[in-house]
Amino acid sequence: MDTATLALQLEMTGKNGPRILDFNDDLKNYTHFFNRVVDHLHDSNLQVLRLSSTFESRRNHIEWIMSFSEHILYKVPIVPPEYLSPMLLIIHEAVSNAVYHGNLCVPDEIRTSRTFHEYEEELSAGHPELLDRQATLKLSLFHDQGELTITDSGKGFDYQRELDRNHPPSPEREMGRGIYILKQTADEIRFDDNGKTLHVRKYWRKT
Amino acid sequence: MIEWNENISGEQATLNLEGKITFENAGELRNRVKAILSEFPLKTLTFDLAGVRFVDSSGLGLLVSIKNTMVKRNGSFKIVNITETVRNIMNQTGLDKYFEI
């Protein structure tokens, strides 16, 4: 069924310079790569980690990139513990925004009535080209900050309206909190290219 | 990943959830809640979130929709045993008051 290739590069910089691990293959061949990654993550000399991945808008790709980036975030000795949840929240909102709104153009009424799995099956029958749409995620973790950039293959959107919002959506609204949460959680947020690219930065403040 | 067990008796039900409620799995949980609500004449639905360590905006949206549904049925939806991380996200979005946590 799905033979889509997934690309990933992990660059880990310690005292002895950068080490780069590459993966560019079908998802089913990923376990071996993951085991290689795990061997390197606990290096206490690690100072900078850069994750870069291009994936498609399929459920297995999304689940993979989410669990992989969470694993990296929680296992590398770079991010202070109190910033783990905020960074995980940033990754979730950024990826779901890029995939649901950007690439798959999922209407709100579908999001509130179908599972991702059900909607994916509908798309495979009617608009399989949407599932092929790619997103590129770049996550960089430094000793004092985290940085995320994501680019989707959609048409863009009126991001200024979302950024100008100074109050959370009214509590009984089911949708529309993603960008507000990003804005609240991040220290810097910027859209480019008509909203197709999102940049987010979060500083770790020493207490 | 989200898992839960269900205690349903009479007009009350409690779901004890464990994991994360996010855009990847919110739809599955929504379907189960819909099925429970159509099968049982519930007046009170409680989510025990002691084991939930993370929610994103889709997870919040699901909780809001369950509350809205229960209010429409003249019932109530309660969230109990919330973790600090989830409380922070609720506070950020002004939902702490809505859920009375």
Side-chain angles (χ1 to χ4, degrees):
Chain A
M1 191 189 121
D2 169 31
T3 53
T5 292
L6 193 135
L8 178 110
Q9 188 181 76
L10 199 61
E11 182 184 319
M12 293 177 275
T13 308
K15 286 186 181 132
N16 305 321
R19 180 186 288 129
I20 294 173
L21 297 177
D22 264 311
F23 178 80
N24 202 327
D25 200 346
D26 188 274
L27 193 52
K28 68 178 192 298
N29 299 323
Y30 154 73
T31 315
H32 176 68
F33 172 77
F34 185 70
N35 291 338
R36 274 173 59 212
V37 169
V38 170
D39 287 343
H40 293 293
L41 282 183
H42 301 286
D43 179 0
S44 57
N45 292 321
L46 210 56
Q47 289 160 338
V48 179
L49 180 139
R50 292 177 195 274
L51 161 70
S52 169
S53 177
T54 296
F55 51 95
E56 298 181 354
S57 304
R58 300 164 192 281
R59 197 167 62 126
N60 56 352
H61 280 203
I62 310 301
E63 284 176 353
W64 170 83
I65 189 67
M66 294 315 297
S67 72
F68 187 79
S69 48
E70 180 178 351
H71 190 90
I72 298 291
L73 183 67
Y74 278 73
K75 294 293 178 195
V76 289
I78 297 181
V79 184
E82 64 270 35
Y83 291 98
L84 292 171
S85 294
M87 281 306 291
L88 186 61
L89 191 55
I90 287 171
I91 297 169
H92 265 85
E93 300 307 333
V95 171
S96 63
N97 188 58
V99 172
Y100 277 130
H101 291 293
N103 284 352
L104 297 181
C105 317
V106 190
D108 278 358
E109 65 268 24
I110 298 285
R111 286 190 64 184
T112 56
S113 64
R114 307 269 210 292
T115 65
F116 197 167
H117 182 60
E118 289 162 347
Y119 188 59
E120 186 177 38
E121 289 196 336
E122 285 173 32
L123 285 179
S124 325
H127 294 281
E129 72 282 1
L130 290 183
L131 297 173
D132 295 339
R133 283 187 168 179
Q134 293 183 330
T136 297
L137 171 73
K138 291 182 180 179
L139 176 69
S140 303
L141 302 173
F142 304 95
H143 75 283
D144 62 340
Q145 60 182 277
E147 195 182 88
L148 177 149
T149 299
I150 190 160
T151 300
D152 65 54
S153 312
K155 289 188 220 131
F157 72 109
D158 182 5
Y159 58 88
Q160 199 56 49
R161 212 182 71 174
E162 293 290 330
L163 289 179
D164 288 345
R165 201 201 293 266
N166 285 318
H167 303 284
S170 62
E172 65 278 2
R173 268 195 62 190
E174 200 178 326
M175 294 289 163
R177 289 187 181 82
I179 291 171
Y180 183 80
I181 287 178
L182 275 174
K183 202 175 119 175
Q184 291 288 312
T185 309
D187 291 309
E188 292 168 22
I189 173 169
R190 191 178 90 241
F191 285 95
D192 281 331
D193 199 15
N194 195 35
K196 285 186 276 186
T197 296
L198 163 70
H199 306 274
V200 180
R201 190 185 305 277
K202 177 85 182 163
Y203 294 102
W204 334 131
R205 296 187 205 290
K206 303 224 162 45
T207 47
Chain B
M1 182 80 173
I2 184 79
E3 290 176 330
W4 62 90
N5 61 57
E6 301 165 1
N7 291 303
I8 305 174
S9 115
E11 296 184 336
Q12 302 201 0
T14 300
L15 266 62
N16 299 286
L17 295 106
E18 209 170 312
K20 294 178 288 174
I21 312 177
T22 64
F23 74 96
E24 301 120 286
N25 60 37
E28 275 77 16
L29 183 54
R30 180 195 316 275
N31 280 359
R32 182 56 198 149
V33 170
K34 270 188 195 165
I36 292 173
L37 291 180
S38 64
E39 192 178 342
F40 300 96
L42 294 187
K43 285 282 179 225
T44 308
L45 174 61
T46 305
F47 268 26
D48 186 327
L49 297 188
V52 173
R53 58 181 189 87
F54 182 80
V55 297
D56 67 4
S57 63
S58 303
L60 290 177
L62 170 66
L63 297 174
V64 167
S65 88
I66 295 171
K67 165 128 182 161
N68 293 346
T69 305
M70 288 309 291
V71 168
K72 263 188 226 153
R73 286 165 67 116
N74 293 317
S76 68
F77 175 57
K78 290 180 186 154
I79 291 177
V80 297
N81 296 328
I82 196 163
T83 56
E84 198 192 331
T85 301
V86 176
R87 181 183 294 279
N88 288 341
I89 300 169
M90 293 261 186
N91 291 350
Q92 267 187 8
T93 47
L95 288 172
D96 47 338
K97 293 183 196 76
Y98 194 57
F99 289 115
E100 298 166 33
I101 51 165

